[in-house]
DNA sequence: ATGGTACTCC
DNA sequence: GGAGTACCAT
């Protein structure tokens, strides 16, 4: 028996928003420690990794590990039926082929139950090593969101260049070129507004904006986002989910990492 | 001569919103008592019945009964030209083939007139008997709206089950099953938020959500909606129009009213 | 209440 | 493929 209850449906809704454009089906792997999900996007370019630890839940019970194969669109539809401050309970029998969502309104006058069929999904459970990166940039999530959106109107690729002084995002295309520079400002009062750079050496990598724009669907989940970069290794874009875990996205850099590239 | 004036164009706009998706042409039957309209929807499945008593108007005059055959889309277009708090006057000559809409802005600084051609419409004026029902459920109109919208994502049919304790709405489909339960809570302070059940005996009937979703276009007209049900008879969905009358929708239950039905 | 998006019909 | 319509989200 698996059963987990969270006080605010809003959280799960936001998680789905952050996943649904990238992934059609995924296994939600539930253990006594919590829920995790790993999936490649449908074009096998990027990877999403979600962790929700059991302490992020009001109530959490998982008698034995269970993998819930879920169609994300169906789950999204169901979660749309919850109000943001409904309590949500997920329940699955060990040998069952369904999961049941229960929504309870704050005033207890309304209870909704949605039963969803589970799927069999080949899970490519990729062990992703936690590694040190050459450079990390922590910045306001909404700032990153805006930068990716804006640069998309210029070109398809963004070049991210990190120095001790700051981070620079550049895109170019037919209409011209756009560059956005954020200064390292870890001294700003509000932590959520800080731009904090940690690095061993300067570095410059290019990424497909199309995927970054999918990643920024997680903006509602966290005030800050952290970009972790190492030459020739995938970028990691991490949003911490308060008290609960994180959602991380992985995206390999474009190989043509030079300024002369003009065929975006 | 027929002439009627209402202080707020908003009311007539909302009435049109509540009718236009269901009915293309309809006779507005005007008598000294007021205006009424009855029409089947275009697929002859459901029925709309509108009543606006003369006391709902600022000014009302109807020398002899007259039936105004109106294309609802045309009238909607014309009413879109009125501001919500314009006063509206409808005027038709006894032997004429047009109706004139006059909009006067609140500050009297602007007057608009639109003349619309009338149509000849075969009116199937169905005498609908007022009858006692086995069960009625009064609930917040917005709640009913949300339930119909949410369950539409699950299946095409909703089963409505009424007991003394509450009312339950259930739909099922390929992706699973959804159930929403509202407790009878007539003791809630705000009358508009109450769920009030009146019943002779428990009952469970199924309806096509497609039509219920057309009916909920009337949500803006009233805080509450009342569902009246009797086995094998059409459901009546009633929105009271404050001080004026009502709009009622009728929809026959689906015949397969059992839980084993799986071909929604 | 209004604007954007997504769907459906033509 | 385009326009109109309906729905959702802000």
């Amino acid at each position: 028996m698996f059963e987990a209850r969270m006080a605010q449906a809003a959280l799960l809704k936001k998680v789905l928003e952050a996943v649904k454009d990238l992934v059609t089906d995924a296994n939600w792997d539930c253990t006594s420690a919590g829920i995790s999900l790993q999936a490649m996007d449908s074009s096998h370019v990027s990877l999403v990794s979600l962790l929700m630890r059991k302490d992020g839940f009001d109530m959490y019970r998982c008698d034995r590990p269970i993998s819930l194969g879920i169609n994300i669109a169906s789950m999204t539809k169901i979660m749309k039926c919850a109000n943001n401050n409904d309590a949500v309970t997920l329940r699955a029998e060990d040998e069952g082929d369904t999961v049941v969502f229960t929504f309870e309104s704050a005033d207890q006058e309304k209870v909704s139950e949605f039963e969803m069929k589970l799927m069999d999904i080949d899970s490519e459970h990729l062990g992703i090593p936690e590694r040190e990166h050459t450079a990390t940039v922590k910045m306001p999530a909404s700032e990153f969101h805006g930068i990716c959106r804006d640069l998309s109107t210029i070109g398809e690729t963004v070049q991210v260049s990190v120095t001790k002084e700051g981070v620079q995002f550049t895109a170019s295309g037919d209409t011209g070129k756009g560059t956005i520079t954020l200064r390292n400002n870890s001294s700003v009062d509000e932590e959520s507004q800080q731009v904090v750079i940690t690095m061993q050496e300067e570095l410059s990598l290019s990424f497909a904006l199309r995927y970054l724009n999918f990643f920024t669907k997680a903006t509602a989940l966290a005030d800050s986002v952290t970009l972790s970069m190492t030459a020739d290794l995938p970028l990691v874009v991490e949003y911490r989910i308060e008290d609960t875990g994180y959602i991380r996205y992985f995206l390999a850099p474009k190989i043509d990492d030079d300024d002369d590239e003009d065929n975006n």
Side-chain angles (χ1 to χ4, degrees), chain A residues 135-195:
Chain A
T136 70
V137 179
K138 175 171 158 293
M139 72 171 90
S142 59
E143 192 71 62
F144 183 60
H145 183 197
I147 289 169
C148 293
R149 192 198 328 105
D150 291 350
L151 292 184
S152 299
T153 66
I154 312 286
E156 295 176 359
T157 303
V158 60
Q159 183 179 342
V160 185
S161 305
V162 187
T163 67
K164 268 190 280 293
E165 286 71 40
V167 55
Q168 194 159 338
F169 300 86
T170 305
S172 47
D174 300 337
T175 57
K177 183 175 165 182
T179 302
I180 297 161
T181 307
L182 296 181
R183 285 183 46 209
N184 184 344
N185 68 355
S186 41
S187 54
V188 165
D189 276 358
E190 250 190 290
E191 197 191 329
S192 67
Q193 291 309 304
Q194 291 176 354
V195 174

Side-chain angles (χ1 to χ4, degrees), chain A residues 1 64 66 92-98:
Chain A
M1 171 80 162
R64 58 194 204 76
I66 184 173
E93 302 294 335
D94 283 340
E95 302 301 335
D97 64 341
T98 60

Side-chain angles (χ1 to χ4, degrees), chain A residues 45-240:
Chain A
V45 171
S46 65
L47 189 146
V48 194
S49 174
L50 169 72
L51 175 68
M52 301 178 82
R53 281 184 294 269
K54 73 167 213 239
D55 20 303
F57 294 88
D58 268 24
M59 183 269 287
Y60 190 91
R61 168 185 167 190
C62 185
D63 299 341
R64 58 194 204 76
I66 184 173
S67 210
L68 307 175
I70 286 181
N71 175 275
I72 303 295
S74 301
M75 183 167 165
T76 302
K77 270 190 196 171
I78 287 174
M79 286 304 303
K80 284 240 163 87
C81 304
N83 289 308
N84 280 335
N85 45 13
D86 284 358
V88 191
T89 306
L90 310 183
R91 196 178 315 112
E93 302 294 335
D94 283 340
E95 302 301 335
D97 64 341
T98 60
V99 58
V100 175
F101 296 79
T102 305
F103 305 143
E104 294 165 89
S105 65
D107 64 5
Q108 309 267 9
E109 296 297 343
K110 179 180 175 186
V111 176
S112 314
E113 261 199 21
F114 293 85
E115 183 179 306
M116 189 179 75
K117 293 222 170 60
L118 292 171
M119 315 170 61
D120 246 319
I121 300 167
D122 288 340
S123 84
E124 13 174 14
H125 201 109
L126 314 159
I128 304 156
E130 298 251 355
R131 52 166 85 242
E132 284 297 301
H133 285 273
T134 305
T136 70
V137 179
K138 175 171 158 293
M139 72 171 90
S142 59
E143 192 71 62
F144 183 60
H145 183 197
I147 289 169
C148 293
R149 192 198 328 105
D150 291 350
L151 292 184
S152 299
T153 66
I154 312 286
E156 295 176 359
T157 303
V158 60
Q159 183 179 342
V160 185
S161 305
V162 187
T163 67
K164 268 190 280 293
E165 286 71 40
V167 55
Q168 194 159 338
F169 300 86
T170 305
S172 47
D174 300 337
T175 57
K177 183 175 165 182
T179 302
I180 297 161
T181 307
L182 296 181
R183 285 183 46 209
N184 184 344
N185 68 355
S186 41
S187 54
V188 165
D189 276 358
E190 250 190 290
E191 197 191 329
S192 67
Q193 291 309 304
Q194 291 176 354
V195 174
V196 183
I197 293 170
T198 313
M199 52 170 281
Q200 268 107 61
E201 56 184 277
E202 298 192 351
L203 149 164
S204 179
L205 296 169
S206 293
F207 303 98
L209 281 163
R210 172 179 166 78
Y211 290 92
L212 299 185
N213 279 322
F214 287 139
F215 303 168
T216 59
K217 296 292 156 65
T219 302
L221 278 168
D223 290 336
S224 299
V225 62
T226 302
L227 315 180
S228 301
M229 284 163 286
T230 300
D232 303 324
L233 285 183
L235 160 73
V236 186
V237 180
E238 170 173 318
Y239 297 84
R240 296 211 150 271

